[in-house]
Amino acid sequence: MEPILFYGVPSGCSFGSIVALEWLGEPYRLSRVEMPEVVQGEAYRRLNPVGETPTLMTADGRVISESLAILNHLGARGIDKGLSFTQGTPGFDRLNQALGFLNTTFFNAFSPLWYALEHGVEGVERDALRAYGAAKVARAHADLETMLGSQDWLLGDRTLADAYFIGIARWTKYHDVVDRRDYPGLQRLFERLESDPAVQFAHAIERRETARGTGGFRGEIGLEEALGRVKLAA
């Protein structure tokens, strides 16, 4: 049985895990989870009690949640492809440092903005949340620009950190609080990733357009059928 990635739409951070699966090139399936309705529903919470995406069901039926855990699981299978590094090596430490920053700082910077948008906050409270979020997003971009320096990729060569970055970096279009062109290194990285076939595939999947993967994609599976497979695997 192929692994199944449960990915959230619209614009979930699970985008990065789709890109990672494409770069890995091993067989997998996708299961679409609408947010916030389905992801918070009873059926999906049987799979992930927290009610968040992404969630990965492995080929042997185990369930992994949280992007960092999923990316490290996939990375261990893609060391020979340069996606990750052997645990205990300096490269592995650098990758986890980058993933940690992307998760705790870059991702989190957008939280006030998503809250204001998703909860329909208006007036003074909305202005305060947007101002707070804008400052956090700008600072995260500045720090990441410094970390990137003159490199083509976040760690010099392409790794899973870049896959996670692109899934979050696209959120600027929803909130319009920074101009990525003020951070030329990040803008170059964003454009480089946007031209990548795996990223274009992930965009097409989210938009429900005809999508051609790199060979590993075995199609989408409905949530109920996918949850049934989880039960059978258990």
Side-chain angles (χ1 to χ4, degrees):
M1 182 172 62
E2 305 95 347
I4 301 172
L5 179 73
F6 297 82
Y7 70 100
V9 290
S11 300
C13 65
S14 31
F15 188 94
S17 294
I18 299 175
V19 174
L21 283 163
E22 281 293 290
W23 286 349
L24 183 60
E26 295 182 355
Y28 74 96
R29 291 183 180 272
L30 293 172
S31 185
R32 188 180 187 92
V33 182
E34 300 288 341
M35 302 186 296
E37 305 88 352
V38 177
V39 77
Q40 292 292 322
E42 180 180 349
Y44 183 73
R45 281 185 179 274
R46 293 199 301 270
L47 175 70
N48 184 333
V50 178
E52 294 179 349
T53 57
T55 298
L56 178 73
M57 188 185 78
T58 66
D60 58 2
R62 292 179 296 113
V63 175
I64 305 172
S65 60
E66 302 295 338
S67 289
L68 267 65
I70 292 170
L71 290 171
N72 272 313
H73 172 81
L74 298 177
R77 305 179 67 86
I79 292 174
D80 61 336
K81 298 181 179 179
L83 300 183
S84 185
F85 306 89
T86 302
Q87 188 169 0
T89 64
F92 184 83
D93 293 337
R94 289 176 60 236
L95 175 60
N96 274 287
Q97 179 177 314
L99 289 173
F101 178 88
L102 291 171
N103 183 247
T104 61
T105 301
F106 197 52
F107 179 107
N108 186 57
F110 289 90
S111 296
L113 302 170
W114 280 120
Y115 184 90
L117 181 66
E118 292 172 352
H119 292 81
V121 179
E122 299 291 346
V124 175
E125 185 180 1
R126 174 183 178 274
D127 294 342
L129 284 170
R130 281 188 58 81
Y132 178 53
K136 287 170 66 70
V137 169
R139 175 61 185 270
H141 275 73
D143 289 345
L144 199 55
E145 177 83 359
T146 300
M147 292 166 59
L148 177 64
S150 61
Q151 301 176 121
D152 288 338
W153 307 94
L154 287 174
L155 296 183
D157 295 317
R158 192 189 72 175
T159 68
L160 294 182
D162 301 294
Y164 193 37
F165 164 79
I166 191 62
I168 301 169
R170 64 202 181 119
W171 291 349
T172 57
K173 73 177 183 179
Y174 292 100
H175 305 294
D176 194 27
V177 292
V178 298
D179 186 339
R180 197 184 304 103
R181 291 172 298 182
D182 293 336
Y183 310 93
L186 293 183
Q187 181 64 24
R188 287 194 299 271
L189 176 59
F190 183 85
E191 292 173 353
R192 183 175 296 111
L193 283 160
E194 283 289 283
S195 67
D196 186 281
V199 174
Q200 294 176 356
F201 169 83
H203 280 305
I205 284 290
E206 284 196 338
R207 294 191 293 258
R208 281 186 161 162
E209 297 173 352
T210 301
R212 290 184 177 274
T214 57
F217 180 55
R218 296 294 184 266
E220 294 222 40
I221 181 172
L223 181 60
E224 290 300 327
E225 182 181 352
L227 291 174
R229 292 194 180 193
V230 173
K231 184 180 296 185
L232 289 172

